[in-house]
Amino acid sequence: MPKDMAQTPTIFERRESAARSYCRSFTATFTEARGSELFTADGTRYIDFLAGCSSLNYGHNDPDMKAALIEHIAGDGIAHGLDLHTDAKAAFLNALSRHILTPRGMDHRVMFTGPTGANAVEAALKIARKVTGRTNVIAFTNGFHGVTMGALAATGNGYHRGGAGMDKSGVTRLPFAGYADGVDSAALLDQMLSDPSGGIDAPAAILFETVQGEGGLNAASAEWVRKMQKIAHKHGALLIIDDIQAGCGRTGSFFSFDEMDVQPDIVTMAKSLSGFGLPMACLLVRPKHDIFGPAEHNGTFRGNTHAFVTARVATEKFWADDAFQKELAAKSVMLTSALKEVADLVPGATLKGRGLMQGVDVGSGDLAADICARAYELGLLIETSGPNDEVVKILAPLTTPNALFREGFDILLRATRETMSNLKLAAQ
Amino acid sequence: MPKDMAQTPTIFERRESAARSYCRSFTATFTEARGSELFTADGTRYIDFLAGCSSLNYGHNDPDMKAALIEHIAGDGIAHGLDLHTDAKAAFLNALSRHILTPRGMDHRVMFTGPTGANAVEAALKIARKVTGRTNVIAFTNGFHGVTMGALAATGNGYHRGGAGMDKSGVTRLPFAGYADGVDSAALLDQMLSDPSGGIDAPAAILFETVQGEGGLNAASAEWVRKMQKIAHKHGALLIIDDIQAGCGRTGSFFSFDEMDVQPDIVTMAKSLSGFGLPMACLLVRPKHDIFGPAEHNGTFRGNTHAFVTARVATEKFWADDAFQKELAAKSVMLTSALKEVADLVPGATLKGRGLMQGVDVGSGDLAADICARAYELGLLIETSGPNDEVVKILAPLTTPNALFREGFDILLRATRETMSNLKLAAQ
Amino acid sequence: MPKDMAQTPTIFERRESAARSYCRSFTATFTEARGSELFTADGTRYIDFLAGCSSLNYGHNDPDMKAALIEHIAGDGIAHGLDLHTDAKAAFLNALSRHILTPRGMDHRVMFTGPTGANAVEAALKIARKVTGRTNVIAFTNGFHGVTMGALAATGNGYHRGGAGMDKSGVTRLPFAGYADGVDSAALLDQMLSDPSGGIDAPAAILFETVQGEGGLNAASAEWVRKMQKIAHKHGALLIIDDIQAGCGRTGSFFSFDEMDVQPDIVTMAKSLSGFGLPMACLLVRPKHDIFGPAEHNGTFRGNTHAFVTARVATEKFWADDAFQKELAAKSVMLTSALKEVADLVPGATLKGRGLMQGVDVGSGDLAADICARAYELGLLIETSGPNDEVVKILAPLTTPNALFREGFDILLRATRETMSNLKLAAQ
Amino acid sequence: MPKDMAQTPTIFERRESAARSYCRSFTATFTEARGSELFTADGTRYIDFLAGCSSLNYGHNDPDMKAALIEHIAGDGIAHGLDLHTDAKAAFLNALSRHILTPRGMDHRVMFTGPTGANAVEAALKIARKVTGRTNVIAFTNGFHGVTMGALAATGNGYHRGGAGMDKSGVTRLPFAGYADGVDSAALLDQMLSDPSGGIDAPAAILFETVQGEGGLNAASAEWVRKMQKIAHKHGALLIIDDIQAGCGRTGSFFSFDEMDVQPDIVTMAKSLSGFGLPMACLLVRPKHDIFGPAEHNGTFRGNTHAFVTARVATEKFWADDAFQKELAAKSVMLTSALKEVADLVPGATLKGRGLMQGVDVGSGDLAADICARAYELGLLIETSGPNDEVVKILAPLTTPNALFREGFDILLRATRETMSNLKLAAQ
């Protein structure tokens, strides 16, 4: 069993804000990481099924990216480049264009924003509003898009919304795909927008994740996504897909909407975009909507050149052909199968999500928390999601070797089994 | 004379958003950088008086930070740590506490936000609003705090405000220190807040930069800052100093307000915080105001561990004793003296700013642009600021050797002289 | 056939704003009115099925109110009383208390607001927000609550919303009862409010009309209204029923919700409240929510004492016993029957509304306009409503004698018949 | 000494909202009123120096208006006319055009709004925003424009602002003329608007009262008003003068800005517009800005035809020639002189306002309240205004006979004298 450090790392308690969070559940102080494993100073190992909330889709310290990055730094390559031209940025753009955009017939331009997903969302909403001259954005129940004021308006989570300390405006919330029994939210949205007295102001954009990462791994069907694209264009709005958590291979293909026959007007990217966990965000925008003037949306760190280096490697290594995608398909099947084993242990539990972004809704946030806490004691980092944190969520690196994947699952199964036993004992 | 690459790097034109900006003036593609110098692939050298807009206060690729960073990466140190405890974060917090906070009697806690200055400002405003239960924030003419919706509301610049495509709320604008002849903006603010019908809602915070970086290097006096602190506390508001551009030594001391006998409730930090130009931002908040719940304000990249490594080195290397600060005092005098030479060439020109954050108001945006363009041709990167871009702004790395500083100034002098000559010729 | 005045009354064209509206369809200049009839200077008579949009439920110049008003004026009774105590106000309050509130077990207090329905709605929303400390108000598709900024935020009509020239905030729109096939909007609202990530901020109030007057005579069932009351209270919100158009007997009882077994926290009243068409508005508020300080919501004309005089007479004359209500029940049956005759002439037409607030949805705004225009030529004032103005709406004075009612209907039938014939001819 | 009724009129306490206000100071129940005198049932007389807050500029029950109104009602004239053409409306418009607008070269159109001043202000702001496509409105410290959400945003009073229970947006507040020592608010506004980083969004309108009625009788100079007109037009904004309280002769001429050589784009009117205290409001708008579509801003009671009748008489009786205006000039001198007598009794007291809208700033709200309370006991209705209610404000009917004026003043002098004596006694 892993052991935490004997003593509380008091510097965090003394000097770090109470807003710190994951470290409350995962109390160890981590020092090294390789692939899907994290280590503390004393060599204790943890299997990582959290992967920086899907920011480490290619695992920790991928050797190829690491080598390229060290070479770049050692050679005094640019670290901070504002939005100047650098060789590293050119190389990344070339790789993205060649391996990702061009093969998909996407003529989108890349706008590097401040290196946070929220910043990309803010920029996307600003563009949509500027392009259309409208304010209103349609967002959905359980959507999560960040916590800066513009993005937070579109985020459904009440805890985060409350953090603003003031009202947020400019967003209309509709039920997400499959949210409410019997409610076809696409039909409802279309009806309200078509009705001159429907009371929903003409929208600048429709914004959603195809799989809601923080919202509980709710996956929209391709049909629903296509309907939303159609409604957006019918009513003069842009379709924005937030692929920050679900993109970069997480659902089994580079974009989460690859198999859906849609062409979003804007796609927001961050998290695993740099490949190495380095801060990087961008949006992809159709040329006709690329209307910002120079620096109209700016940000000091939009040229994090280290991230361009690793992002280029990630793109070339994993997406130059379809080998990785095929691996993911196989892993996705394995994941579903493994999660069924977990779900079988919990009465009423259901599977959520798709691809490598799946989880088990165990019906209660307390139960999910207990399972994850026990898993941590047993050496596995795994988190919950969902409105009541009731979904045990697997966000393992996509590159996790099968044996390690299985090892992680065995821990999860044991943690679930023990937690359920304790529950039964407590109930008796 | 430096030469740009023979051919336009078309990948940028083809795939990068029209929002790109600096690369339009500084058209080269940069590949390496050391200290205060940038290089292109063919070895062309540029002296850097921009320093990533004050994000590279310690220059490019500082050898000590570089060594520590390579060692960290080579040893598979954590790259992306969410807000988990890491040894690198502990080391940075210890250094900050020991060398910066404790000596100043600051009991502030450090909240790592998404690694952009805007994100730190957003978090600061949210805290102030949550603490006070009020919405209104007092901000000032020519203040610049970022372009995400919450921060943008506090930003004065109309071009950036327009980028939002919608109204912004929650901020009341007052004239900055010295903005309007005969207007004591501190007295005016106090009068309006004290008047039950003054029409300014009770504020959550008063927010400003002590030296307005983008707004034209307007420097507030210590007296004005103290008055604002007094007014804030008299009316139940928090004092937030945005030290993103002016902090980390830029004005001659670590904080821009070090000599002012004030204790801000919140300080926002970013830009040069990591020391190496890596994305990193935080806010310092008095413990009594540190009221966010876990992850109430969150962000994927708030644990950019590479930045913690370099930030720790920067703190220890430059701020463990007063040697660096003394150097800065000397350089500041030199800078003023050099800028006077420049100003002498332009009728009516005035000096702006303080410390290593000074510039020359040449009275016209066109003139300032011409001077900077000519300087670039002569091998110097230098930018303008101010509402009409009329201030030629020096943001050289604080570590620039005196000889290089002088070399840069000689270019600036020559560029100014030549530009003025051309003007006179054109006028004849 | 009635004739308009030979010449255009050019003073209106020269000096009245283009915002004037009804006079564009009903071009005559009216000089006298009695009961359900309007007259022009040359004696041309019009039957009034519009009744000041339900502001003249007791007809024009009711002789008893008229006598009382003349007596009041002749005796130098107070005309304008601010919110001073007057004998006229006391008498009205006594009548309202005795005949309306006390018999229904309503302990509500009467707050006289500025004498417009919109003002009463504004006050109601302000109270709800102040009581709850929340901003968000739930309103519904096709709801109409006025066009001042606070009320307009709750109004669904896009044409009116657009008139604001700016965004409106603080309101979340849900589908009204029966709005969308298969959508139980009460269940949906409850689910979204109960979900911590549902994205609807905790509401201050749920606001609606039980029969949407401008929105197309959509009538909510008693069950839906009760569900909304339950949801409001479950989630800590106030239930506000806007009875401005549907109240004062319009649906067959004094309040539109009299038979629904609900007790709204706030009821807004205006239109027919004065009985005589004089400007008067108020809200009824439960004592525990009556938290405004003196004049916290004020208004110069909240003491329109002439209106108190006629309102007192109206209350005593029509609501002291159940005779009038019984009459209304009979008339309501007659109205339904007559409207069926109209509907039978138009393929696909359906009946809308209830009580004396019924109409025929003829499926097209153009058709409805043609029918009303022809009816006007034939001597009947009648208007449309609904999102596309597709509902021919009967808002005759409740006191219209049966013979006159029939006469009006015969005109409507003829107008419908002729319009349909013309349509068929045009189609051939 | 007047006596109140022996017993509290409990119906008000039982059934009227706690928001009632004036009746708390002036506790009598009033039954009759003539000219500048109010009477209770037992014949107790009060002199009225409040005049319905300037809604009864021509006194109570003016015999000519009264006769016309009774004749109108007796003849079954229209009471409620929506925005239909009526003979009464035509007659009023003709009178207004002939006696007021045409002689002043004003080509403005009249838009009848809901019959409250706030409604006229809401409509004015909506027009300005629609015309300009901008949101921001410049309003001023101590301005009062009503308490519905749109108007309230422009109102400075914090007590009323707090009643909204939510944030208000769309307004920027500047210091009013003479508000802050040494601050030229016109120059400041122009500077901030001219500065691209001034942080005040381009305004739709500049809105103010030339004499701030509720704000403490602060009178703007003609020069300041002209400057504001110039600034408005320079920056593409509309000039809106809110003449609701200061208009209709209150400052000595029909409009408060008559002698100022300005031509507002919009003027809001209400209060004394009907002449009789009946609810009526309108705005005057330049034809080029009269861009609302039919009913885009609507309101049930915008056709209060009784008010048109009396308003026509008022216009013809008082404004057909300059006799009345000359009377007002003389009265204004008398008023100043009388108020000096009052001011002389209170150390430090200063005179405020102009025309028949003057008062004495006695330096303390408590003192002003005590004086007014004592005056009431002595038979005079008089109120305070100002941010701290520190101004004893005279709003007597403009038609008050000189002898009655003097009688009222003698009461005020006695009340002031006695209050000051009590103060001195208490201090000893």
Side-chain angles (χ1 to χ4, degrees), chain A residues 15 21 83 110 271 300, chain B residues 15 21 83 110 122 271 300:
Chain A
R15 282 294 188 184
S21 168
D83 62 2
V110 182
K271 290 198 182 274
T300 291
Chain B
R15 283 294 189 184
S21 169
D83 63 1
V110 183
E122 294 261 348
K271 290 198 183 273
T300 292

Side-chain angles (χ1 to χ4, degrees), chain C residues 9 11-24 26-34 38 50 52-53 55-56 60-61 66 69-70 73-80 82-87 89-90 93-94 97 101-102 106-112 114-119 122 125-127 129-130 134-135 144 147-150 152 159-160 162-166 169-170 270-271 276-280 290 292-298 300-302 304 306 381, chain D residues 9 11-24 26-34 38 50 52-53 55-56 60-61 66 69-70 73-80 82-87 89-90 93-94 97 101-102 106-112 114-119 122 125-127 129-130 134-135 144 147-150 152 159-160 162-166 169-170 270-271 276-280 290 292-298 300-302 304 306 381:
Chain C
I11 184 64
F12 301 114
E13 292 174 346
R14 280 189 296 120
R15 282 295 189 183
E16 193 173 1
S17 161
R20 66 193 188 279
S21 168
Y22 289 108
C23 56
R24 296 171 187 270
F26 312 129
T27 54
T29 297
F30 300 95
T31 55
E32 289 182 27
R34 270 179 299 279
L38 283 153
L50 176 55
C53 288
S55 295
L56 292 159
H60 295 267
N61 288 309
K66 172 178 158 179
L69 181 57
I70 289 177
I73 300 170
D76 285 333
I78 307 293
H80 177 99
L82 289 170
D83 64 359
L84 295 170
H85 298 325
T86 61
D87 54 346
K89 190 201 276 188
L93 283 172
N94 274 314
S97 181
L101 301 179
T102 304
M106 293 173 71
D107 61 355
H108 294 65
R109 294 218 187 107
V110 182
M111 177 176 162
F112 297 107
T116 68
N119 202 294
E122 294 262 347
L125 297 183
K126 286 166 67 175
I127 290 176
R129 286 171 174 143
K130 198 177 178 205
R134 301 170 177 180
T135 295
F144 189 92
V147 298
T148 51
M149 285 300 289
L152 188 52
Y159 177 64
H160 290 104
M166 70 177 281
S169 62
K271 289 198 182 274
F276 205 70
L278 301 178
M280 180 177 179
D290 183 33
F292 270 146
E296 191 168 347
H297 182 94
N298 62 4
T300 292
F301 296 120
R302 64 198 185 279
N304 181 12
H306 287 188
L381 263 65
Chain D
I11 184 65
F12 301 114
E13 293 174 346
R14 279 189 297 119
R15 283 294 190 184
E16 194 174 359
S17 161
R20 67 194 187 279
S21 169
Y22 289 107
C23 56
R24 296 171 187 271
F26 311 129
T27 53
T29 297
F30 299 97
T31 55
E32 288 180 28
R34 269 180 300 280
L38 283 154
L50 177 53
C53 288
S55 296
L56 292 159
H60 295 267
N61 289 308
K66 172 177 157 180
L69 181 57
I70 289 177
I73 300 171
D76 285 334
I78 306 293
H80 177 99
L82 289 168
D83 63 1
L84 295 170
H85 298 325
T86 61
D87 54 344
K89 190 201 277 187
L93 283 172
N94 274 313
S97 180
L101 302 179
T102 302
M106 293 173 72
D107 62 354
H108 295 65
R109 294 219 187 105
V110 182
M111 178 178 161
F112 297 107
T116 67
N119 202 293
E122 294 261 348
L125 297 182
K126 286 166 68 176
I127 289 176
R129 286 170 174 144
K130 199 177 178 206
R134 303 169 176 181
T135 296
F144 188 92
V147 299
T148 52
M149 285 299 290
L152 187 52
Y159 177 63
H160 290 104
M166 71 177 280
S169 61
K271 289 197 183 277
F276 206 71
L278 301 179
M280 181 176 178
D290 182 33
F292 271 147
E296 192 167 348
H297 182 94
N298 62 5
T300 292
F301 295 121
R302 64 197 183 280
N304 181 12
H306 287 189
L381 264 65

Side-chain angles (χ1 to χ4, degrees), chain B residues 63-84:
Chain B
D64 297 307
M65 299 183 209
K66 173 178 157 180
L69 181 56
I70 288 178
E71 185 190 349
H72 179 85
I73 300 171
D76 285 334
I78 306 294
H80 177 100
L82 289 169
D83 63 1
L84 294 170

